[in-house]
Amino acid sequence: MNNDYRSPSFKRWLDKLQQESWQLELIISGFAIYALILAYEPLTVASLTAKEMNLDFFHTMWEAVTIIWGILIFNLILHVVLRGLWIGAVGLRSVSGDIDYNALKYSKQFTTYLKKNVGSFDKYIGQLEKYCSVLFAISFLSIFYTLSLFIFILILAAVAYLIFENPNLSGIMWVEMGFRVGLTIFILLSIIVFIDFIGQGIFKKNKWIAKIYFPIYWLFSYLTLSFLYRPIIYNFLDNKFGKRIVFLLLPLYIITSFLFNIDFKHSNYLANKPTSLENYASSYNYEDLMLDNKDFIKTASIPSKIIKENYLKVFILFKKNIEDQIFEKNEALKPKFDQRGISFSNIKIQTKNHLNELDYLSTFKELYYIQIDSLRFSSDYIISTDKHKRLGFETYLNIRDLKEGKHILRILAPPADSTQVANDTLVTIPFWHFKD
């Protein structure tokens, strides 16, 4: 086959291929839908894991991938349904031919209306074919649109992290100022590109504005990888039918997203809550109730609502603010360079301040303590992980002398407001103790 796109043979080959492309579309759609549905739950779990671990970068990344997956599944299922309707219409045409409005023996008013608005059966088949072909292309174009949006968010997040979150750079005034100016310019340029995108190339149409806009367009075409899918975009823009399909799909996405977020309220007073209270037991505080991969410990957990042993395991989830409080309490533990954040596993940074885990745990023990009812329990903590490999502090309490019945476990933490004297209650977990 001649690969020269200007040759007549190549054009004839493309014309033949586009007539038979529906078979490839159905095969690809079938395999893709099956694979996408299988992968959707692991992606959701990965996104939730990153969110619960406060890994904002990875959470944003997995959220973008999950959105791409959802759009693809929706588009491909819609494509298979329409393509199935098209195959049924083609099969029906081979049996009964075109629509014979005279054979229906309707009144003149209805016959005229149907001929005008319904038209021939061949026109209906042709319209279905166009919808299917355009929808299949949009399905994969949406991947690149979402990818471009993710790259844009990633750049903003990276610069914002360097300005506001990185303790090793945030104290240097000229570095902060440079990043702030750069971030402001980047946002302004992004708004210009977005206006041009919404306006379908409004800045490209004026001769003088186009000269100023071209460097911005060139830069963002590489930053967002739009050069990979630009021919498909312009093919849509010069076709009214393609643009109409895009504008029809947008409200469909919004409506579908709204329908999937509809919930039912069972009571005016009772509701599911993420954490336990004295009179409410959340499943996120009991390990035996967190059976699904999407179930995560929110703050702390115990093995079960009913404890029959003479000991009680308590797991407190590690969070960034815990380490900040430990550094504030024991400044000797604070490293010279804060290594928290994104890092490469094969690159190790050596610092002079070596973190002493025993001192770390001892300081944590001074700051956080456990009460059952009004009785304070001494705790010896170790560093451990939950089933999702999240770090935390684990201890075992001797509850041999606790009477049988309901008890309230509280974990007390340093007050969030430095002006307060009393400790804050980090979490409240009710449980029942019955001896074998």
Side-chain angles (χ1 to χ4, degrees):
M1 185 192 69
N2 187 359
N3 290 325
D4 184 4
Y5 70 92
R6 292 167 294 188
S7 68
S9 61
F10 186 81
K11 294 183 183 297
R12 285 195 299 270
W13 176 77
L14 280 179
D15 290 337
K16 181 182 178 182
L17 188 62
Q18 72 183 20
Q19 297 297 325
E20 301 174 355
S21 64
W22 65 270
Q23 302 172 28
L24 292 174
E25 289 177 13
L26 278 178
I27 293 171
I28 293 172
S29 294
F31 280 108
I33 290 170
Y34 178 73
L36 289 169
I37 290 175
L38 286 180
Y40 192 77
E41 184 176 351
L43 285 173
T44 306
V45 172
S47 176
L48 286 172
T49 302
K51 180 182 179 182
E52 295 297 331
M53 295 177 72
N54 296 320
L55 301 175
D56 296 333
F57 166 76
F58 292 103
H59 174 58
T60 304
M61 180 184 72
W62 289 122
E63 278 290 292
V65 174
T66 304
I67 291 170
I68 290 173
W69 246 243
I71 292 173
L72 265 178
I73 291 172
F74 178 84
N75 283 0
L76 291 177
I77 289 176
L78 184 59
H79 169 263
V80 169
V81 171
L82 290 178
R83 186 58 79 178
L85 184 61
W86 175 82
I87 293 172
V90 171
L92 181 61
R93 183 185 182 279
S94 67
V95 175
S96 62
D98 207 344
I99 302 172
D100 185 0
Y101 291 103
N102 294 324
L104 297 174
K105 297 180 181 180
Y106 290 162
S107 66
K108 184 179 179 180
Q109 179 183 1
F110 272 97
T111 302
T112 304
Y113 176 83
L114 291 174
K115 284 182 178 180
K116 180 181 178 181
N117 291 276
V118 176
S120 70
F121 198 58
D122 289 353
K123 177 185 175 183
Y124 172 71
I125 293 174
Q127 287 290 101
L128 279 177
E129 166 65 26
K130 289 167 68 176
Y131 276 112
C132 292
S133 298
V134 171
L135 183 61
F136 193 77
I138 290 174
S139 299
F140 291 93
L141 182 61
S142 62
I143 294 177
F144 290 102
Y145 273 143
T146 310
L147 180 63
S148 297
L149 180 61
F150 168 69
I151 293 172
F152 170 74
I153 294 172
L154 175 62
I155 294 171
L156 285 180
V159 176
Y161 171 78
L162 290 172
I163 296 174
F164 302 110
E165 297 293 332
N166 193 330
N168 301 320
L169 294 178
S170 59
I172 306 174
M173 183 63 67
W174 66 270
V175 174
E176 279 193 37
M177 186 61 66
F179 277 123
R180 287 177 187 271
V181 172
L183 182 62
T184 304
I185 294 173
F186 181 76
I187 292 173
L188 290 175
L189 295 179
S190 303
I191 293 171
I192 293 172
V193 173
F194 182 72
I195 292 171
D196 181 70
F197 172 74
I198 296 297
Q200 298 181 15
I202 189 173
F203 295 142
K204 301 184 186 79
K205 296 176 181 179
N206 183 280
K207 179 180 178 181
W208 302 109
I209 296 177
K211 287 184 177 181
I212 301 172
Y213 177 67
F214 180 78
I216 304 172
Y217 169 80
W218 180 87
L219 173 64
F220 275 81
S221 69
Y222 284 95
L223 286 178
T224 61
L225 303 181
S226 64
F227 64 91
L228 294 174
Y229 55 91
R230 191 180 296 139
I232 301 177
I233 295 175
Y234 291 130
N235 208 311
F236 272 115
L237 290 177
D238 71 355
N239 185 289
K240 291 182 179 180
F241 183 81
K243 288 192 287 186
R244 189 161 68 242
I245 295 293
V246 172
F247 286 118
L248 282 174
L249 282 175
L250 287 175
L252 271 179
Y253 292 152
I254 296 170
I255 292 169
T256 305
S257 176
F258 175 76
L259 291 175
F260 274 102
N261 286 282
I262 291 177
D263 200 2
F264 183 79
K265 191 171 183 180
H266 296 275
S267 170
N268 289 297
Y269 296 95
L270 309 180
N272 291 330
K273 299 175 183 178
T275 56
S276 297
L277 302 169
E278 289 190 18
N279 297 312
Y280 179 79
S282 170
S283 59
Y284 299 116
N285 295 122
Y286 305 96
E287 293 176 3
D288 62 338
L289 297 181
M290 291 184 286
L291 304 176
D292 196 277
N293 287 332
K294 298 178 184 178
D295 294 333
F296 291 87
I297 297 171
K298 296 299 181 184
T299 305
S301 68
I302 61 176
S304 176
K305 292 179 185 177
I306 300 175
I307 305 298
K308 296 181 179 180
E309 295 81 7
N310 291 325
Y311 60 89
L312 175 62
K313 172 190 170 184
V314 180
F315 179 83
I316 303 173
L317 186 66
F318 171 83
K319 294 187 178 180
K320 181 177 178 292
N321 68 300
I322 292 178
E323 189 157 287
D324 292 337
Q325 291 170 339
I326 289 174
F327 289 163
E328 186 177 347
K329 177 72 174 178
N330 189 345
E331 292 187 0
L333 291 171
K334 188 174 183 179
K336 185 176 180 181
F337 297 101
D338 197 329
Q339 298 183 47
R340 291 177 293 183
I342 299 171
S343 64
F344 295 96
S345 57
N346 59 337
I347 299 177
K348 303 295 182 183
I349 301 175
Q350 299 296 331
T351 59
K352 294 182 179 179
N353 293 330
H354 177 66
L355 188 63
N356 189 314
E357 291 182 356
L358 292 177
D359 288 346
Y360 191 96
L361 290 173
S362 178
T363 307
F364 174 81
K365 180 179 177 180
E366 294 178 26
L367 294 172
Y368 291 80
Y369 60 89
I370 300 170
Q371 280 186 352
I372 297 180
D373 301 328
S374 59
L375 181 64
R376 179 170 176 173
F377 279 71
S378 60
S379 308
D380 290 321
Y381 294 97
I382 61 169
I383 299 169
S384 183
T385 58
D386 65 358
K387 70 174 184 177
H388 294 287
K389 308 297 182 183
R390 295 189 300 167
L391 282 170
F393 305 91
E394 185 176 307
T395 188
Y396 290 81
L397 308 178
N398 184 350
I399 58 172
R400 186 186 305 274
D401 297 328
L402 274 186
K403 65 179 182 179
E404 293 187 340
K406 179 184 174 183
H407 298 277
I408 303 296
L409 181 144
R410 291 183 179 86
I411 298 174
L412 301 180
D417 187 352
S418 58
T419 60
Q420 294 180 353
V421 178
N423 284 24
D424 292 333
T425 301
L426 187 67
V427 65
T428 301
I429 306 176
F431 70 95
W432 284 259
H433 178 47
F434 296 105
K435 300 176 182 178
D436 286 335

